[in-house]
Amino acid sequence: MAAHRTTLVAVTALAPVSWGTTYAVTTELLPPDRPLFTGLMRALPAGLLLLALARVLPRGAWWWKATALGALNIGAFFPLLFLSAYRLPGGLAAVVGSVGPLFVVALSALLLGQRPTTRTVLTGAAAALGVSLVVLKAAGALDPLGVLAAVAATASMSTGTVLTKRWGRPEGIGPLALTAWQLTAGGLLIAPLALLVEGAPPALDAPAAGGYLYLALANTALAYWLWFRGIGRLTATQVTFLGPLSPLTAAVVGWAALGETLTPLQLAGMTLAFGATVAGQLTARPTPTRTATPTPAPTPVPTPAPARGRPAAPSARRPRPSDAHAGHRRP
């Protein structure tokens, strides 16, 4: 059981690790200053592909539930995330995003009835501190709109994570269909905004086409399927504590592929954030469901068998004195 849970956590962790490569792909391969178009190209093609594979549409209340989750996890999160990344210096958007576990702890208490523990809160604070040491650099004045967008993006994704856990999935529906619904709904919400703000799509060269293909397939379709699959099998707090792996991966990719340097302070921050991520899996075990203890049935009193050769006495007949003495005979 422990080995299965460890494997599930490791597979779910591939999602934030994949998201950590988004920055390098965006800066090296994609057209500049197109955050909404990039969000659209991540979400809508991936959603339509998964929808074609799942071949099932929402029913009943799940039309509005899937739309709400798609708006929180994709439609609002992607534009707010890119807006904060473009307006905030020194990785501050990643620092704000790293407080996601604390958002989820608070929302889980309100919506899931999971009482936060001091250890969980301290672990979330340690994760945020570790990420801060890795990505935060000296910079000029902060942009209020960028800070607001970063906080809103974190709150949106955290709320979507908790509601995904609370609502679960319709009976007979797997995580593939649920992921398809959310990505499609989110992409359709981003499409008119991208057209209105950024205009017509830009011309794409081969590297840009390859970058968008990677973002749509591996970075979004596969990663979000693993993410929502993990939410269905782990606690919301466990899943969100994997989030700091995204900026840590971005730092490692920047060092390995883009020639960026890692200072001793950044390495210490990576160690702290990774340790908090592991601790988040150890301190956020699912609460066992309590079941009512059944009341034991009364033990039936055996009825003495009738003597051989005699018919059983009718239940309505008044017992005779000889019957009462018969039960006390010595062998």
Side-chain angles (χ1 to χ4, degrees):
M1 186 66 180
H4 173 73
R5 180 172 169 272
T6 301
T7 302
L8 178 60
V9 170
V11 171
T12 307
L14 294 177
V17 168
S18 173
W19 299 333
T21 65
T22 304
Y23 175 78
V25 172
T26 301
T27 57
E28 298 300 314
L29 300 177
L30 304 184
D33 301 326
R34 290 289 183 144
L36 292 176
F37 180 74
T38 298
L40 173 63
M41 292 298 291
R42 285 186 65 186
L44 191 56
L48 294 177
L49 173 63
L50 295 184
L51 194 62
L53 295 175
R55 302 178 65 181
V56 60
L57 294 175
R59 294 182 180 180
W62 270 98
W63 278 105
W64 71 264
K65 287 184 179 180
T67 302
L69 293 177
L72 290 169
N73 290 321
I74 307 297
F77 175 69
F78 278 6
L80 289 170
L81 177 67
F82 282 116
L83 177 61
S84 64
Y86 272 88
R87 300 184 72 95
L88 292 181
L92 185 59
V95 174
V96 177
S98 68
V99 302
L102 299 178
F103 275 78
V104 169
V105 167
L107 290 170
S108 295
L110 293 175
L111 301 178
L112 303 179
Q114 297 178 357
R115 298 176 60 183
T117 64
T118 303
R119 188 175 179 183
T120 301
V121 174
L122 292 177
T123 303
L129 176 60
V131 172
S132 301
L133 296 177
V134 174
V135 302
L136 193 57
K137 300 177 182 178
L142 299 181
D143 186 305
L145 180 59
V147 174
L148 181 61
V151 173
T154 303
S156 179
M157 184 67 170
S158 301
T159 304
T161 298
V162 174
L163 286 180
T164 301
K165 184 65 180 179
R166 177 172 180 172
W167 289 340
R169 298 192 301 267
E171 185 178 357
I173 298 299
L176 184 69
L178 183 63
T179 306
W181 299 345
Q182 295 187 54
L183 288 173
T184 303
L188 291 176
L189 291 173
I190 297 174
L193 183 62
L195 184 62
L196 180 64
V197 175
E198 298 179 353
L204 302 181
D205 55 14
Y212 282 125
L213 186 64
Y214 166 78
L215 290 181
L217 296 181
N219 189 269
T220 303
L222 177 60
Y224 272 93
W225 173 70
L226 293 175
W227 185 253
F228 293 129
R229 176 176 173 267
I231 292 177
R233 303 185 182 188
L234 300 169
T235 67
T237 307
Q238 281 178 301
V239 174
T240 194
F241 263 109
L242 299 174
L245 293 177
S246 180
L248 297 185
T249 302
V252 172
V253 171
W255 167 76
L258 304 181
E260 299 177 0
T261 60
L262 291 175
T263 66
L265 187 61
Q266 287 178 304
L267 293 175
M270 294 177 67
T271 303
L272 179 59
F274 185 76
T277 298
V278 174
Q281 310 308 313
L282 301 177
T283 61
R285 297 181 185 277
T287 303
T289 304
R290 293 185 177 181
T291 56
T293 303
T295 303
T299 304
V301 179
T303 304
R308 182 177 298 177
R310 294 183 182 180
S315 59
R317 182 175 66 84
R318 180 178 297 177
R320 294 178 299 180
S322 58
D323 294 335
H325 291 293
H328 296 282
R329 291 176 183 172
R330 296 181 181 271

